[in-house]
Amino acid sequence: MDDIDRKILAELQKNGRLSITEVAERIGISLSPCHRRIRALEEDGVISGYRATIAPTAVGLTFSAIVFTTLRESTHATLAAFEAAVLALPEVVSAERLFGEPDYMLHIVTRDLASFQQLYDRHLASLPGVLKMTSTLVMKSLCQNRPLPL
């Protein structure tokens, strides 16, 4: 990856709807090499997709919580079962496996506190392999889906 690729990525992070012509003009290269580079970045998995970023509150998702989870054991089977169950919950908008304790951090978005409680009681409390869960509420979101510092 060179400086031109980084410039392409920076422009697409700012606005993924730019046409290839617009990207080429902004970084100062011709259309064909720009198209080849973007296609190569996509094929290499550097660009993993394009999507609209939606404001949660604009669609009625006004409640956000972080759930820290510690598993009973760290066997391959336990980790795989837990991760598969988490990925099946659309309310989990971000999930990270951590070093040390806790084992996982889940960012959950729901309509309201009652919806979160229902999700917790019906699904989170019965996730496979869980020893302990601790929740904290998000007071304010400062930044989300921030561009990578290229």
Side-chain angles (χ1 to χ4, degrees), residues 67-129:
V67 177
F68 297 99
T69 307
T70 302
L71 301 182
R72 281 189 198 93
E73 58 186 5
S74 295
T75 65
H76 177 72
T78 303
L79 297 171
F82 175 81
E83 290 178 6
V86 165
L87 291 173
L89 299 172
E91 296 87 353
V92 178
V93 296
S94 174
E96 286 85 20
R97 184 172 174 200
L98 309 173
F99 280 106
E101 282 200 24
D103 295 309
Y104 289 88
M105 179 175 68
L106 312 177
H107 184 174
I108 298 175
V109 177
T110 62
R111 295 201 177 281
D112 51 27
L113 175 60
S115 299
F116 175 72
Q117 181 183 353
Q118 188 176 42
L119 175 73
Y120 194 99
D121 294 346
R122 291 185 180 172
H123 299 287
L124 297 176
S126 61
L127 286 170

Side-chain angles (χ1 to χ4, degrees), residues 39-60:
R39 191 169 356 124
L41 290 166
E42 291 169 344
E43 289 171 359
D44 292 345
V46 177
I47 297 174
S48 59
Y50 301 89
R51 67 184 181 110
T53 302
I54 300 166
T57 55
V59 293

